Amino acid sequence: MENPVITFILLLWTLAKICFYNFLGFIDNIIPGEWKPKKDVSKDIVLITGGGSGIGRLMSLSFAELGATVIIWDINNETAQGVVKEIRGAGGKAYSYVVDCCDNEAVYKTADKVREDIGHVTILINNAGIVSGKKLLQCPDRLIKKTMDVNVNAHFWTLKAFLPNMLEKNQGHIVTIASLAGHLGVSGLVDYCASKFAAVGLDDALYHELQYTGKSGVKCTVVCPFYIKTGMFDGVKAKRAIMVDILEPEYAVERIMLAIRTNQRVLILPRSLYFFPGLKNLWNPKAVMAFCDLNGSQQMMETYSGRQKQD
Ligand SMILES: NC(=O)c1ccc[n+]([C@@H]2O[C@H](COP(=O)([O-])OP(=O)(O)OC[C@H]3O[C@@H](n4cnc5c(N)ncnc54)[C@H](O)[C@@H]3O)[C@@H](O)[C@H]2O)c1
Ligand SMILES: *[C@@H]1O[C@H](CO)[C@@H](O)[C@H](O)[C@H]1NC(C)=O
Ligand SMILES: *[C@@H]1O[C@H](CO)[C@@H](O)[C@H](O)[C@H]1NC(C)=O
């Protein structure tokens, strides 16, 4: 048995650390990101899954503009090639590979090719994602499996491919594009929420594993935005815009870039919902429903149409 006096002192010491870090965190949160020192990414090799469209495309353009070498992984050759052309046209460095991120063997094979062609990836952005947009019992098994495969399982394969070199150097950055749906269950998004909660959990545990094993040089950022106007959630409408509205992709990506470049741990978008994931777990479930009802977040999927082509 440990001496109770030692246990007591340890308790006080832990309490002091909790207060200290929460205070630091609070100060860090009120300082605008624009004022913080931003890391130089001009020597980075950034791999963005799903970089051919939506916020993946905008992140690719932003990183290229900052001088980074951008590698786009997408199942859609045409759009990925389009973004590469756009970047090269503006004088940037970009490459694209056609790969289905759900296919672990294809991920490993393409990762080898990337290392051969370009070099070691220093920033990995797990961004590719899909949504079935169907109520649970209307959702075919195939789509449920696919949603879990793209939105979370694929992260394991890309991590296994690119984390070893980051660990070796104790340097690098893993960015998980999750969603607010990774903190709040939403009607009409049962499979999607499950996959995003899983992605949030993956990031959290990975962060702890890196800290615990002395690899804190590898940074983790998890991004949890509300709906963004990219086409992925076409048709979704808020009953009224109180506190939040559907986000503009340019704004979302501006915040994401800032979070990555300042090594921010968690990014919730919009800011007005910053405390919601924490508060939600303390609240009574009916209180959570009442809050969501303000702008009808549980009804928002009713008008979902999505993109024309759906797979
Ligand atoms: N749009 C939103 O409202 C919103 C909100 C919160 C979070 N997110 C998340 O942000 C991420 C990007 O969303 P977006 O709105 O830019 O979507 P998007 O549909 O515009 O882009 C997704 C990209 O991923 C690619 N992709 C899909 N499956 C793939 C696979 N198996 N392998 C490789 N590439 C694949 C697609 O071809 C596409 O280029 C997703 O993870 C999404 O869940 C989006
Ligand atoms: C992708 O498109 C480019 C040209 O647009 C073509 O050269 C290339 O072979 C295509 N790759 C695949 C895997 O289809
Ligand atoms: C508005 O809706 C979103 C989800 O659609 C929800 O996350 C948010 O909490 C809601 N805001 C308010 C103020 O109810």
Side-chain angles (χ1 to χ4, degrees), residues 180 184 226-227 242-244 273 291-292 294-295 297 300:
L180 263 182
L184 172 72
F226 186 61
Y227 296 109
I242 300 182
M243 287 170 75
V244 292
L273 292 176
F291 180 74
C292 293
L294 203 55
N295 62 8
S297 83
M300 283 179 85

Side-chain angles (χ1 to χ4, degrees), residues 180-181 184-186 226-227 236-245 270 272-273 276 283 288-301:
L180 263 182
L184 172 72
V186 180
F226 186 61
Y227 296 109
V236 164
K237 275 204 274 304
K239 200 159 61 180
R240 59 181 84 83
I242 300 182
M243 287 170 75
V244 292
D245 203 356
S272 57
L273 292 176
F276 185 69
W283 285 2
V288 176
M289 289 293 271
F291 180 74
C292 293
D293 224 25
L294 203 55
N295 62 8
S297 83
Q298 297 296 340
Q299 288 135 276
M300 283 179 85
M301 281 302 288

Side-chain angles (χ1 to χ4, degrees), residues 9-308:
I9 292 173
L10 192 70
L11 211 65
L12 282 185
W13 176 232
T14 305
L15 209 64
K17 281 203 281 195
I18 291 172
C19 292
F20 175 72
Y21 286 125
N22 275 336
F23 178 72
L24 277 193
F26 176 74
I27 298 292
D28 191 54
N29 278 332
I30 54 178
I31 299 175
E34 289 85 351
W35 297 4
K36 293 179 191 164
K38 292 174 246 343
K39 67 178 171 192
D40 171 24
V41 293
S42 63
K43 291 188 184 56
D44 278 291
I45 298 181
V46 188
L47 190 143
I48 303 173
T49 68
S53 154
I55 60 174
R57 170 178 163 270
L58 291 175
M59 286 190 283
S60 302
L61 298 178
S62 303
F63 271 109
E65 214 170 286
L66 293 168
T69 303
V70 172
I71 301 167
I72 294 169
W73 275 18
D74 209 296
I75 30 165
N76 188 327
N77 188 26
E78 237 166 279
T79 53
Q81 286 276 335
V83 180
V84 167
K85 255 190 221 133
E86 216 174 326
I87 291 174
R88 289 185 179 166
K93 293 165 287 200
Y95 306 84
S96 77
Y97 293 81
V98 179
V99 52
D100 178 354
C101 296
C102 308
D103 179 346
N104 54 343
E105 292 306 329
V107 165
Y108 302 145
K109 234 185 358 215
T110 318
D112 285 338
K113 217 161 165 302
V114 164
R115 273 185 287 269
E116 226 166 83
D117 298 349
I118 302 151
H120 289 295
V121 168
T122 56
I123 302 180
L124 169 64
I125 306 184
N126 277 319
N127 161 78
I130 56 165
V131 60
S132 62
K134 292 180 177 26
K135 292 220 169 53
L136 179 60
L137 296 185
Q138 272 85 59
C139 195
D141 295 0
R142 180 181 61 85
L143 276 185
I144 294 177
K145 286 184 186 169
K146 183 109 195 153
T147 301
M148 295 303 286
D149 270 347
V150 182
N151 295 4
V152 63
N153 293 342
H155 297 203
F156 293 116
W157 321 138
T158 55
L159 282 168
K160 282 200 159 183
F162 297 112
L163 195 55
N165 186 259
M166 295 187 195
L167 294 183
E168 213 170 283
K169 297 193 180 114
N170 194 14
Q171 199 182 335
H173 203 142
I174 306 293
V175 180
T176 304
I177 305 295
S179 169
L180 263 182
H183 290 281
L184 172 72
V186 180
S187 164
L189 289 175
V190 174
D191 55 343
Y192 186 78
C193 287
S195 71
K196 292 298 184 181
F197 266 70
V200 168
L202 183 159
D203 159 83
D204 199 31
L206 178 65
Y207 170 73
H208 282 280
E209 192 163 289
L210 291 170
Q211 302 299 308
Y212 184 71
T213 53
K215 300 293 179 187
S216 58
V218 180
K219 306 296 175 198
C220 295
T221 296
V222 61
V223 178
C224 303
F226 186 61
Y227 296 109
I228 311 168
K229 251 179 247 163
T230 61
M232 185 182 199
F233 281 96
D234 267 356
V236 164
K237 275 204 274 304
K239 200 159 61 180
R240 59 181 84 83
I242 300 182
M243 287 170 75
V244 292
D245 203 356
I246 297 179
L247 298 163
E248 291 298 333
E250 288 76 15
Y251 169 77
V253 169
E254 190 192 309
R255 303 315 297 180
I256 294 170
M257 291 301 294
L258 212 53
I260 297 173
R261 293 183 66 207
T262 57
N263 294 328
Q264 190 174 323
R265 197 40 217 109
V266 180
L267 175 67
I268 307 275
L269 283 175
R271 255 185 114 88
S272 57
L273 292 176
Y274 195 82
F275 292 106
F276 185 69
L279 284 177
K280 184 216 132 194
N281 293 317
L282 297 174
W283 285 2
N284 176 284
K286 294 270 191 247
V288 176
M289 289 293 271
F291 180 74
C292 293
D293 224 25
L294 203 55
N295 62 8
S297 83
Q298 297 296 340
Q299 288 135 276
M300 283 179 85
M301 281 302 288
E302 299 295 340
T303 50
Y304 167 84
S305 54
R307 288 208 182 85
Q308 297 313 38

